[in-house]
Amino acid sequence: MQFSRSLKQNHLFRRLYRRGVSSANAYLVLYCRKNGSTENRVGLTVSAKLGHAVHRNRLRRRLREIYRLHEQQFVRGYDLVVVARTRAMQADYHQLEHAYLSLAAKLGVFQPEDAE
């Protein structure tokens, strides 16, 4: 990821949950907040309640890949946290991609290519 880093510190996650703007659909919840830098920080949350580690890690890899492929279109300078919901475990890649990008666009952190 060229313009992004991982968000790993617990206090940053908590700050986003408390003060960030969020949007949700059937598969995901996306929290975002300006971070005052020129790069994005992205965090993923997949609860142990959703399934075994193999399945949770597969979902994390898919979400990371969706962000990586569309990174150029994300507005820079935001902290993003993606929280997976139960239905995300059964969703295919294209459903997840649509859910992720539509939430990001709804929050104003994603600029589709055809909109430029």
Side-chain angles (χ1 to χ4, degrees), residues 66-80:
I66 291 167
Y67 181 82
R68 186 187 70 80
L69 291 175
H70 298 279
E71 183 179 24
Q72 299 286 336
Q73 298 164 275
F74 276 85
V75 179
R76 295 193 194 127
Y78 281 88
D79 287 343
L80 303 168

Side-chain angles (χ1 to χ4, degrees), residues 11-112:
H11 74 276
L12 296 175
F13 276 83
R14 286 195 321 255
R15 183 189 308 156
L16 259 163
Y17 295 145
R18 208 171 38 251
R19 298 189 186 142
V21 183
S22 67
S23 187
N25 58 30
Y27 302 106
L28 305 169
V29 180
L30 180 66
Y31 293 87
C32 73
R33 184 172 191 255
K34 281 194 174 281
N35 64 19
S37 73
T38 59
E39 62 185 5
N40 289 341
R41 294 186 295 193
V42 182
L44 301 172
T45 302
V46 181
S47 172
K49 294 177 185 178
L50 298 185
H52 297 291
V54 172
H55 303 289
R56 294 193 314 266
N57 289 334
R58 181 174 183 225
L59 179 58
R60 278 190 204 101
R61 285 193 308 271
R62 285 179 168 185
L63 294 172
R64 239 183 265 120
E65 183 67 3
I66 291 167
Y67 181 82
R68 186 187 70 80
L69 291 175
H70 298 279
E71 183 179 24
Q72 299 286 336
Q73 298 164 275
F74 276 85
V75 179
R76 295 193 194 127
Y78 281 88
D79 287 343
L80 303 168
V81 170
V82 181
V83 180
R85 289 184 159 181
T86 308
R87 290 180 74 186
M89 296 301 281
Q90 284 77 37
D92 66 21
Y93 178 84
H94 297 292
Q95 290 171 318
L96 284 175
E97 182 177 38
H98 182 265
Y100 195 143
L101 299 180
S102 65
L103 288 177
K106 191 184 222 183
L107 292 173
V109 296
F110 182 73
Q111 304 292 325

